[in-house]
Amino acid sequence: MTTTDTSCQLDSAAPVQEDEAKPFWQRFDRWWLLFAAVVIMTAWLILARPDPYRRAFVFLQDGIRVTVSITMVSFLFILVAGLIGGLGRISKNPLINGISSIYVEVVRGIPLLVQLLFIYYASPIVLRGLGRRLLDIWPGFATRLIEIKLNPFAAAVLGLTVCYGAYMSEIFRAGIESIAKGQMEAARSLGMSYFQAMRHVILPQAVRVVLPPVGNEFIALLKDSSLVSVVAVADMTRRGREFMASTFLALETWLLVALLYLIMTLFFARVVAYLERETTFVH
Amino acid sequence: MSTNIIEIEHVSKRFGRVVALDDVSLTVKRGEVVVIIGPSGGGKSTLLRCINHLEAVDSGRIVVDGIPLTDAENIDKVRAEVGMVFQLFNLFPHVTALENITLAQRVVRKRSHQEAEDIAHELLARVGIPEKADAYPVQLSGGQQQRVAIARALAMQPKIMLFDEPTSALDPEMIKEVLDVMLDLAEEGMTMVVVSHEMGFVKAAAHRVALMCDGHIVEETTPKELFTAAKEERTKQFLSQILI
């Protein structure tokens, strides 16, 4: 580094942009305009050409509800699974670390579609087989295993949670590890336990670091939830297939389905961007 | 109660192949201010960090205020009695100066919000920045951050304060404001172990000085003798390099 006078002046003269001072139209997130354009286009299709768009939209409505609820419910479980998995991955206990590492590595290596098919179609066979073996030792439990019927919604949530929980574990691990080591040391030197330090010092900071990738995962999850249509869940994609099967209107059906997904993902992308801006340390 | 508040006996510690501490023994009496000096990589910080078990020793024994650093429960007890100030402050950046000082009081000492805040305001006044309570760490100068860090440690009412090069990350004009706080503490009779090369502080406040080099304590002496009659060649050589 040079220590001449000129470089010193250049450093101190670096312009400081005050975000607060900017007028509204400069602070305004212009990607909302794209969102608005897609909403207007979809609304125009539904209103101006009720046949088939309005008909399709009405038919798809409960599918939209299923898609949104499956995404929301799964995401809550995924956050919990990711936090546990992430803490497991940084644990110094070799057993805990081993189990969470194997979970992450195995799950990341299998396509989500295959995992969903396995959970819905193959795991009942495994459970039934297990039940037959347990029949003599524990008859009550064994009969319940043999007669098991998986609820499609639950199977879908389980599949999405297992798969995305592994990705989320890695995001949380990286987020926690990005917080300087001195933070944990300072907290521990004040007498906090490991978990107190995690809860009050490390995680509140890590949340800000992981927010963008977690937001991306949410949007990816929303899109990947269309895969659950293969395990008998009547989500938006499956309802779209049903509508097409009865009307043979492939172009109109899939155009509307695509637009509806796009509206949702564009909206949540803006929400994530907003949260990101709002959670910097100093406003 | 014994007069020795810290007893370090034959402690060794290595990081991989590097021997950081090699059979080090040191005792600190109640109310004593001990300054550890020496070249970097000599094991000063490691020794300090062993006292509150931020580093685990490989062999040897450390007893703090009659509590041996053995199981996790004892370690937490010792940490509650030992305050630590770091070279890079390590303030919690996501909360204000005030909350930096109240957090551990509430979580560890289970004090009420009100009580913790009263103590925090009092301590901020004591370190000379009562007006900075609501500032975030990034809005404070290095010297101010370090003073908040000292207040944060003092809020736990420690019996011992450890300082790990508290002024080496500071601009020259901010060193004094931190040293003044440390001098006040020393005058009040706080037991302090300080890793520092601030010879002004050594002259003004230290009862004893230990020079560490290559994982050994090479010489233990009083400040007066250090400057006038150092016995070891290594000490003289070190002093000649820092006292230009």
Side-chain angles (χ1 to χ4, degrees):
Chain A
M1 217 176 102
T2 53
T3 49
T4 59
D5 279 344
T6 39
S7 79
C8 228
Q9 275 166 6
L10 280 176
D11 277 352
S12 55
V16 182
Q17 280 280 346
E18 275 294 323
D19 210 44
E20 302 299 317
K22 283 188 190 170
F24 169 77
W25 62 88
Q26 278 184 26
R27 272 185 295 145
F28 177 70
D29 178 356
R30 266 160 279 188
W31 285 103
W32 280 115
L33 296 178
L34 177 64
F35 172 72
V38 177
V39 170
I40 290 166
M41 184 177 161
T42 312
W44 178 79
L45 281 177
I46 292 170
L47 295 174
R49 293 194 47 202
D51 189 39
Y53 288 107
R54 199 184 133 72
R55 209 148 53 84
F57 182 67
V58 171
F59 190 84
L60 287 173
Q61 259 176 8
D62 38 315
I64 298 173
R65 267 193 293 277
V66 170
T67 289
V68 170
S69 55
I70 226 164
T71 305
M72 297 285 186
V73 172
S74 303
F75 196 65
L76 288 181
F77 284 112
I78 288 163
L79 287 178
V80 175
L83 184 58
I84 295 170
L87 288 174
R89 287 276 274 169
I90 57 167
S91 167
K92 290 201 181 83
N93 180 322
L95 183 69
I96 296 172
N97 188 298
I99 292 173
S100 36
S101 298
I102 289 171
Y103 160 63
V104 169
E105 291 300 329
V106 167
V107 166
R108 278 198 307 187
I110 303 170
L112 174 57
L113 183 58
V114 176
Q115 287 181 43
L116 286 168
L117 292 169
F118 187 92
I119 286 176
Y120 190 63
Y121 293 109
S123 68
I125 300 173
V126 176
L127 294 178
R128 252 174 262 144
L130 191 70
R132 259 178 243 119
R133 286 181 186 229
L134 288 176
L135 213 47
D136 300 330
I137 325 165
W138 194 357
F141 182 63
T143 14
R144 282 179 63 186
L145 278 184
I146 291 169
E147 287 164 5
I148 199 157
K149 274 226 167 53
L150 274 186
N151 169 341
F153 189 90
V157 169
L158 180 66
L160 291 172
T161 302
V162 167
C163 184
Y164 270 76
Y167 300 136
M168 204 59 92
S169 297
E170 283 301 272
I171 291 172
F172 280 14
R173 178 185 64 80
I176 292 167
E177 283 178 346
S178 77
I179 305 303
K181 214 174 133 231
Q183 291 291 309
M184 180 56 99
E185 288 180 351
R188 297 305 300 273
S189 78
L190 290 164
M192 288 188 215
S193 70
Y194 177 80
F195 285 103
Q196 284 172 338
M198 265 294 160
R199 178 165 159 230
H200 296 284
V201 176
I202 306 296
L203 290 180
Q205 296 181 58
V207 163
R208 293 164 162 92
V209 178
V210 302
L211 196 72
V214 166
N216 284 341
E217 287 298 290
F218 180 82
I219 291 160
L221 174 70
L222 181 64
K223 292 183 290 171
D224 276 353
S225 73
S226 65
L227 291 172
V228 304
S229 59
V230 301
V231 295
V233 177
D235 77 323
M236 199 157 76
T237 303
R238 193 181 177 93
R239 292 295 278 167
R241 281 223 308 263
E242 288 167 9
F243 186 77
M244 185 185 69
S246 61
T247 59
F248 302 104
L249 296 168
L251 173 65
E252 291 82 351
T253 307
W254 296 116
L255 178 64
L256 186 64
V257 169
L259 285 171
L260 290 174
Y261 273 115
L262 192 56
I263 286 173
M264 288 196 259
T265 52
L266 286 177
F267 175 75
F268 285 115
R270 290 307 96 212
V271 171
V272 171
Y274 172 79
L275 289 175
E276 234 172 273
R277 265 179 288 134
E278 286 300 301
T279 51
T280 40
F281 289 135
V282 184
H283 301 287
Chain B
M1 267 212 250
S2 99
T3 55
N4 290 339
I5 194 162
I6 303 174
E7 291 175 352
I8 300 169
E9 293 165 9
H10 305 291
V11 161
S12 295
K13 166 82 185 173
R14 44 199 305 158
F15 296 104
R17 275 194 221 155
V18 181
V19 179
L21 298 175
D22 185 9
D23 195 25
V24 173
S25 297
L26 179 74
T27 55
V28 178
K29 295 192 188 69
R30 257 168 230 287
E32 202 174 21
V33 177
V34 176
V35 178
I36 306 172
I37 60 172
S40 62
K44 309 180 297 285
S45 289
T46 307
L47 182 64
L48 197 71
R49 291 157 60 82
C50 284
I51 297 173
N52 66 352
H53 206 265
L54 284 182
E55 302 288 354
V57 300
D58 294 339
S59 62
R61 203 170 110 89
I62 297 180
V63 182
V64 179
D65 200 22
I67 308 167
L69 278 175
T70 44
D71 53 277
E73 200 182 316
N74 278 359
I75 289 165
D76 282 346
K77 261 191 230 162
V78 165
R79 281 179 178 155
E81 292 196 10
V82 179
M84 186 156 195
V85 175
F86 300 85
Q87 181 177 3
L88 297 174
F89 331 132
N90 296 357
L91 288 183
F92 306 137
H94 61 300
V95 292
T96 62
L98 190 78
E99 289 164 316
N100 261 281
I101 305 172
T102 56
L103 182 61
Q105 295 189 63
R106 290 191 288 108
V107 173
V108 181
R109 292 269 191 253
K110 311 287 178 205
R111 289 180 191 146
S112 70
H113 269 274
Q114 192 54 53
E115 194 188 356
E117 280 182 17
D118 289 346
I119 292 172
H121 281 297
E122 203 175 290
L123 283 167
L124 280 173
R126 188 164 147 197
V127 299
I129 40 172
E131 75 284 2
K132 295 295 182 187
D134 296 323
Y136 283 85
V138 289
Q139 297 168 317
L140 300 173
S141 72
Q144 290 167 339
Q145 288 192 49
Q146 193 61 295
R147 285 187 281 164
V148 172
I150 293 173
R152 176 175 72 175
L154 290 176
M156 305 300 285
Q157 275 132 3
K159 294 182 181 167
I160 303 164
M161 284 287 283
L162 308 176
F163 291 84
D164 189 3
E165 307 206 27
T167 55
S168 22
L170 296 177
D171 289 340
E173 64 260 42
M174 290 168 186
I175 290 176
K176 187 175 177 298
E177 62 192 46
V178 171
L179 287 182
D180 284 346
V181 172
M182 290 170 64
L183 285 171
D184 286 347
L185 270 180
E187 256 168 46
E188 287 162 23
M190 174 68 77
T191 307
M192 292 162 73
V193 184
V194 183
V195 172
S196 177
H197 292 149
E198 295 298 335
M199 288 303 152
F201 180 79
V202 171
K203 276 181 198 152
H207 299 116
R208 233 164 0 116
V209 183
L211 183 114
M212 276 195 84
C213 181
D214 300 329
H216 297 277
I217 292 181
V218 178
E219 185 161 357
E220 243 186 279
T221 178
T222 61
K224 203 175 166 193
E225 286 195 0
L226 177 79
F227 296 116
T228 56
K231 289 187 206 73
E232 303 291 329
E233 198 49 48
R234 189 70 187 82
T235 313
K236 288 177 197 160
Q237 189 196 336
F238 178 75
L239 286 174
S240 74
Q241 272 165 355
I242 63 162
L243 302 172
I244 305 163

